[in-house]
Amino acid sequence: MAKFIYRMQNILDIKLKLEEAAKQEYANARHALNVEEDKLAALHKRKEEYHLIYLEALKDRLDLLEISECENAMDVMDDLILAQEENVRKASKELEKARQKLNTVMQERKMHEKLKEQKFDEFVTELNAQESKETDEVASYQFNSKESDTED
């Protein structure tokens, strides 16, 4: 039986490697986004802690210095939170770009795999047609040879 050789296998191999690279890039972008979101959550938690300290300072004996420090700390935390939210947005955009790239690369790989399947189907069809032709030739030869034997 003839062996199927896909002429563009090297291109398909490259597409597979590109897909693996895009998957790794996506995973890295996902990890970066998770890190930024964790930082943001930690900042929100710190701000909440300062807020609780602030409320306690208002309940107890009024310590204006502590109240002022808590207010300043909460203002600083607000600024840090805004900056971190921007970092989260950037990481989210990078993740989206990586996802789109991964989708594109996957579509290209799937297209090449379908082409390979089509070429294989054509190969099988041609092989079956050739085998059928050879079988017909053998049968015809045997029939003709029996006829010539019976005429003698």
Side-chain angles (χ1 to χ4, degrees):
M1 181 172 162
K3 183 177 178 183
F4 173 69
I5 298 173
Y6 182 54
R7 292 183 307 160
M8 295 191 296
Q9 183 63 42
N10 56 348
I11 295 173
L12 181 57
D13 293 341
I14 291 170
K15 295 294 181 185
L16 288 169
K17 288 179 184 176
L18 287 173
E19 182 178 353
E20 288 303 314
K23 284 180 182 178
Q24 185 61 42
E25 188 178 323
Y26 178 81
N28 291 343
R30 170 50 70 206
H31 177 70
L33 178 61
N34 289 344
V35 167
E36 296 299 330
E37 287 174 340
D38 290 346
K39 287 179 184 178
L40 181 61
L43 290 174
H44 279 292
K45 185 177 179 185
R46 277 182 53 196
K47 181 183 176 190
E48 183 62 30
E49 290 170 359
Y50 283 128
H51 186 71
L52 292 175
I53 293 170
Y54 173 77
L55 292 177
E56 283 296 317
L58 289 177
K59 288 181 185 174
D60 292 342
R61 180 179 58 84
L62 289 180
D63 184 358
L64 295 178
L65 181 62
E66 186 177 1
I67 291 171
S68 177
E69 286 176 357
C70 287
E71 287 175 341
N72 289 337
M74 286 189 296
D75 289 340
V76 168
M77 294 308 298
D78 284 337
D79 293 340
L80 291 174
I81 286 172
L82 287 175
Q84 189 59 35
E85 286 174 343
E86 180 61 28
N87 290 343
V88 169
R89 276 191 291 280
K90 286 178 184 176
S92 182
K93 286 179 183 178
E94 289 299 316
L95 179 66
E96 181 61 23
K97 286 197 303 194
R99 186 190 64 76
Q100 288 176 348
K101 181 179 178 181
L102 178 60
N103 283 343
T104 301
V105 170
M106 287 176 69
Q107 287 174 348
E108 290 174 0
R109 180 205 28 100
K110 287 178 183 179
M111 180 186 68
H112 277 279
E113 285 181 346
K114 285 187 183 218
L115 285 173
K116 182 178 180 179
E117 288 175 16
Q118 289 173 352
K119 293 294 182 185
F120 181 73
D121 290 344
E122 289 174 13
F123 172 76
V124 169
T125 302
E126 288 175 10
L127 192 62
N128 288 339
Q130 185 178 355
E131 287 177 2
S132 177
K133 181 180 174 185
E134 289 173 1
T135 303
D136 289 347
E137 287 176 359
V138 168
S140 174
Y141 176 75
Q142 288 175 346
F143 179 76
N144 288 338
S145 123
K146 282 184 183 179
E147 264 188 23
S148 66
D149 286 345
T150 56
E151 289 178 5
D152 290 337

